Amino acid sequence: MGVIVGAIVAVSVVVGGWWVVRTYNRLVRLRNQTQASWAQIDVQLKRRHELIPNLVEGARGYAAHERGTLEAVTAARGTAVSGGLGVADRAAAEDELTATLGRLFALGENYPELKADRHFSTVQAELRSTEDKIAYARQFYNSAVQSYHTALESFPGNVVAGLGGAHGRREYFEAAGLAQDAVQVKFA
């Protein structure tokens, strides 16, 4: 009788240990997925930041008296590339950059020769493609964060997360204010 009880206790301990390890590993996998998803957003944002000086330089020759717009784009880019920003602050900086880029693109409508410039059009098309990739990466990141939060808040993840202590909530990368409205830009 004692052997049976001992065997049941041993099996229970093994199953319970397996359950904790499996749940913890799932939380680690989801946390790592959110970090990898954020890295993909970062790659696309860096690409965007690299294209902006070319776009500004192309516009500078045609719209020299539009200095305020060009300086606003440059300043917004500077804020966006500065380090140490959290997800919410980074999202706000990127939203500001998107708004100023919209004003820069609007210059193309006011200056037909700028609109016809091959370099400006090429950079503008690359930037448009990058913006699409950023939107996809943002959506994928937010989906990964949602999956991670669901695992953290539901049983058994909430129990194991409390034991591990290394699992905290992540911020969503949300568009705020102007960025929620579609930017109306007409391309040639």
Side-chain angles (χ1 to χ4, degrees):
M1 185 68 145
V3 172
I4 294 174
V5 171
I8 291 173
V9 169
V11 167
S12 297
V13 168
V14 169
V15 169
W18 173 80
W19 172 77
V20 168
V21 168
R22 184 168 184 230
T23 302
Y24 183 81
N25 287 343
R26 179 172 182 260
L27 291 174
V28 168
R29 187 179 78 252
L30 290 170
R31 182 189 64 208
N32 290 343
Q33 185 177 22
T34 63
Q35 291 169 342
S37 300
W38 177 255
Q40 289 303 312
I41 290 175
D42 200 42
V43 165
Q44 296 305 324
L45 292 176
K46 285 179 182 173
R47 172 73 176 138
R48 176 191 202 194
H49 299 154
E50 291 169 359
L51 289 170
I52 290 170
N54 294 327
L55 195 64
V56 169
E57 197 56 42
R60 190 179 313 274
Y62 292 99
H65 64 283
E66 299 282 357
R67 185 178 185 121
T69 300
L70 300 176
E71 288 175 354
V73 171
T74 303
R77 179 189 177 273
T79 301
V81 299
S82 65
L85 298 177
V87 174
D89 291 335
R90 183 82 183 264
E94 293 298 333
D95 290 343
E96 178 62 27
L97 181 56
T98 298
T100 61
L101 281 174
R103 293 197 314 259
L104 179 62
F105 290 152
L107 288 179
E109 296 298 315
N110 295 333
Y111 297 92
E113 59 277 359
L114 174 61
K115 189 176 179 179
D117 182 77
R118 179 181 293 243
H119 174 71
F120 187 80
S121 296
T122 301
V123 174
Q124 198 174 33
E126 286 182 40
L127 193 56
R128 182 176 9 144
S129 172
T130 301
E131 293 292 336
D132 291 342
K133 291 175 185 176
I134 290 169
Y136 174 77
R138 182 184 280 196
Q139 179 184 6
F140 187 79
Y141 170 78
N142 285 337
S143 179
V145 169
Q146 179 185 15
S147 296
Y148 182 57
H149 288 173
T150 300
L152 282 176
E153 294 171 3
S154 60
F155 185 79
N158 59 353
V159 173
V160 175
L163 297 173
H167 297 283
R169 294 182 61 80
R170 302 285 191 250
E171 293 181 64
Y172 287 100
F173 191 27
E174 298 175 309
L178 293 174
Q180 290 178 346
D181 301 327
V183 176
Q184 297 297 319
V185 178
K186 296 179 182 175
F187 294 101

